[in-house]
Amino acid sequence: MSVETVLADRPAPEVPRDARSAPLIELRHVSKSYSGAGGGAPVTVLDDINLDVRDGEMLALLGQSGSGKSTILRLMAGLTEASQGAVLSHGSPLSGVNRRLAIVFQSFALYPWLTVQENVQVGLIQRRLDTRQEKEEIDRALELIGLTGYENAYPKQLSGGMRQRVGFARALVAQPEVLCMDEPFSALDVLTAENLRTQVVDLWRGSGHAGLKSIFLVTHNIAEAVFIATRIVIISSHPGRLRTVIVNPLPYPRDVNSRQFMALVDQVHAAITALVLPDEPSDAVAVRPADAGPGRAVAPAEGPREEATSGISARVETIPNAPVETIVGLLEILEDSQETINVFDLSARIGREFGETIAIVKAAEMLGLVDTPKDDVVMTQFGWYFLAAPETARKTLFRQAVMKLRLFQMLTARLDAAPDGRVDAGIFLEELGTLLPYDQPPKLFQTLIAWGRYAELVDFDQNANVVYLHEASESDDDEAGEASP
Ligand code: ADP
Ligand code: MG
């Protein structure tokens, strides 16, 4: 675990009397851009964010990976500057590092050569206490966080959960007004995380620790946000925009098994689902389960849904990082559960995080295999047809499906245009970085190749680092002789 306290050499300034009603931290119309890959056009990561951290609240910022959550935290901490808009602390523009907050990060960042006690002491630098006071503060923090007796241990002697506690203790002794946490529990095992979450809530409720007013939690874990936060803000991706604010009225201590808790989790799930898998306008081809069944392997009239109707057909859409087997697995579950399953039940059923589940569903939806009315995942006629088909026919169908995607159209066009049908992977990586600056090109490339291979469209020679067209990909009536490039 790790924590990093934002250190500075001076104590935090007194708050002017007239600023006491202003939010502790406020982002006003903040946008953030980074210069594009290879000097390309700037990429907008955050767009017109309005967000404040209020006195006495536990605010959770919930969003998918890459949506800009950490960037928001860094803006609040004064560790990076807004491209547009203003960052205010108690109503005044923040200049430099925000000394009123401390950050707990997910990654382990304790000093390995310092003992527990000395690691916590690092958080005291800006408070200028004498040795005796320091000792008292450290003891108090360690006791609070359940580490008494480990003062002289070194990080490597501690479990992940205990290291995390050291991180918390270090952040706490700095007496931050706002304790910021960036996915602080995600590197821990389930039970340890549960335990520490409860402790964080107790800490904030007890508010005995001088100065701590509010907590700002960045997370992608819905249940965690509902367990901890008094207010939940949902951010969408590409660029990051604040979409939904949900006030959490549940009394503490919160019971994760209560009906109210589960209802709120559902509400947040639904809000996120609506963002990531929006219901399409009326013309969407939603084939109802009643229209098709496993016994009816009828060729679909339309195949995968045409993107062109959306009016932004020229846009290159990224593909979610979902292996073909997982997509097929999803279809099998749908078959099993009578053609339709609620997306939350699906997440529980496959035992994956909600974000991951959504990525798989999104992939299947882009391929026209499923549809997602409301929070349901429904097999399309094309999905049934695909599932019922033998492996070679599946590949042909998969090929038709991916070729509806701009990314694959571009990939194959590029290979077609190359004199020997071979293109260096580095070139693709660069182009992907330019086309889809929000994605990690290597990951996207991997998925692209995996899907392309399954579809017998393209292949990749790892040694030569070259992508090339699959030999039999031109013929539609392929007998699919064993694919050996
Ligand atoms: P999150 O914490 O929600 O996963 P981040 O705030 O870390 O998201 O990143 C949001 C987006 O900004 C990502 O697409 C990421 O690649 C991009 N990004 C973050 N920091 C930088 C940087 N220093 N330069 C360029 N792009 C960045
Ligand atoms: Mg992050």
Side-chain angles (χ1 to χ4, degrees):
M1 150 48 177
S2 78
V3 160
E4 179 143 320
T5 306
V6 176
L7 297 172
D9 51 5
R10 283 168 298 157
E14 279 298 304
V15 178
R17 194 162 281 282
D18 55 351
R20 291 211 174 143
S21 55
L24 307 181
I25 309 171
E26 188 178 2
L27 302 189
R28 232 182 245 174
H29 297 295
V30 164
S31 298
K32 177 74 183 175
S33 311
Y34 289 110
S35 48
V43 178
T44 303
V45 169
L46 294 173
D47 183 33
D48 196 26
I49 302 287
N50 288 299
L51 179 67
D52 56 356
V53 180
R54 301 171 192 164
D55 193 346
E57 75 173 342
M58 283 208 272
L59 178 64
L61 179 62
L62 192 58
Q64 296 199 303
S65 171
S67 54
K69 304 183 297 296
S70 295
T71 305
I72 288 186
L73 195 150
R74 287 200 298 274
L75 283 160
M76 289 179 170
L79 297 173
T80 187
E81 281 187 9
S83 310
Q84 272 172 51
V87 180
L88 309 178
S89 166
H90 291 271
S92 306
L94 180 66
S95 71
V97 169
N98 188 343
R99 277 165 279 128
R100 293 198 175 93
L101 58 79
I103 306 176
V104 179
F105 287 115
Q106 170 198 349
S107 56
F108 296 153
L110 299 179
Y111 299 108
W113 60 88
L114 298 182
T115 62
V116 164
Q117 187 168 262
E118 290 162 342
N119 264 292
V120 176
Q121 196 174 10
V122 171
L124 283 171
I125 289 178
Q126 68 176 16
R127 290 187 49 204
R128 310 194 166 249
L129 305 175
D130 63 34
T131 317
R132 188 187 51 82
Q133 288 170 315
E134 280 202 344
K135 175 87 175 73
E136 275 173 21
E137 287 288 314
I138 293 168
D139 286 348
R140 195 152 69 97
L142 290 179
E143 193 188 337
L144 198 67
I145 215 81
L147 274 175
T148 305
Y150 291 93
E151 291 82 356
N152 297 313
Y154 286 89
K156 67 169 187 297
Q157 299 171 290
L158 304 178
S159 67
M162 285 161 83
R163 277 182 248 174
Q164 177 104 346
R165 286 165 198 273
V166 179
F168 273 106
R170 182 160 81 186
L172 288 174
V173 294
Q175 295 197 338
E177 190 177 76
V178 182
L179 176 63
C180 296
M181 305 191 284
D182 194 346
E183 317 235 6
F185 310 108
S186 51
L188 300 174
D189 66 85
V190 175
L191 290 178
T192 309
E194 218 171 276
N195 184 326
L196 263 181
R197 275 184 208 115
T198 306
Q199 272 188 303
V200 165
V201 171
D202 290 349
L203 189 84
W204 170 82
R205 289 179 68 209
S207 69
H209 211 85
L212 179 64
K213 290 180 171 160
S214 304
I215 286 181
F216 177 63
L217 169 72
V218 163
T219 182
H220 63 265
N221 183 327
I222 296 170
E224 178 174 302
V226 173
F227 184 73
I228 293 181
T230 52
R231 201 159 61 104
I232 299 168
V233 175
I234 299 171
I235 183 173
S236 66
S237 309
H238 307 166
R241 290 197 179 118
L242 295 192
R243 294 301 187 147
T244 313
V245 180
I246 295 175
V247 172
N248 185 345
L250 299 180
Y252 298 96
R254 289 180 175 160
D255 174 5
V256 297
N257 295 314
S258 70
R259 259 198 15 253
Q260 294 86 338
F261 188 93
M262 290 190 232
L264 196 56
V265 167
D266 280 354
Q267 192 190 335
V268 177
H269 265 131
I272 293 180
T273 307
L275 281 181
V276 183
L277 304 168
D279 286 347
E280 257 136 305
S282 52
D283 59 347
V285 196
V287 179
R288 290 282 128 202
D291 301 343
R296 296 189 51 196
V298 200
E302 73 288 56
R305 187 182 307 135
E306 302 284 348
E307 264 295 304
T309 51
S310 66
I312 41 169
S313 53
R315 210 185 79 197
V316 181
E317 247 197 309
T318 188
I319 55 176
N321 178 22
V324 177
E325 313 86 77
T326 336
I327 299 172
V328 176
L330 166 67
L331 300 184
E332 283 163 356
I333 288 180
L334 286 175
E335 179 181 34
D336 233 35
S337 53
Q338 318 291 317
E339 299 115 9
T340 176
I341 191 169
N342 180 278
V343 71
F344 320 135
D345 298 341
L346 176 66
S347 183
R349 165 115 182 233
I350 63 177
R352 295 195 191 224
E353 258 189 16
F354 192 64
E356 239 179 295
T357 308
I358 280 212
I360 300 166
V361 173
K362 176 99 187 170
E365 187 176 39
M366 286 177 77
L367 294 167
L369 298 165
V370 303
D371 204 351
T372 58
K374 298 254 161 27
D375 327 324
D376 287 335
V377 185
V378 180
M379 187 98 89
T380 60
Q381 193 173 350
F382 183 69
W384 280 121
Y385 189 64
F386 176 86
L387 198 62
E391 187 66 6
T392 46
R394 273 191 190 175
K395 283 174 181 282
T396 306
L397 292 172
F398 198 81
R399 179 157 67 245
Q400 290 168 2
V402 297
M403 282 308 288
K404 304 254 174 177
L405 304 176
R406 287 283 292 147
L407 212 47
F408 278 91
Q409 291 167 2
M410 293 170 72
L411 174 75
T412 49
R414 194 82 173 67
L415 289 168
D416 274 333
D420 52 357
R422 297 165 70 85
V423 174
D424 191 86
I427 294 179
F428 277 122
L429 283 172
E430 210 168 282
E431 289 182 354
L432 289 176
T434 314
L435 274 174
L436 295 159
Y438 300 106
D439 289 275
Q440 293 168 355
K443 219 171 174 183
L444 181 55
F445 178 75
Q446 259 180 16
T447 313
L448 205 56
I449 295 298
W451 288 20
R453 264 189 174 146
Y454 182 81
E456 297 184 336
L457 267 176
V458 301
D459 221 323
F460 175 50
D461 178 342
Q462 194 147 13
N463 293 325
N465 201 37
V466 160
V467 183
Y468 55 95
L469 284 170
H470 188 275
E471 281 160 3
S473 65
E474 297 301 308
S475 74
D476 243 347
D477 51 348
D478 59 347
E479 301 80 38
E482 228 16 75
S484 49

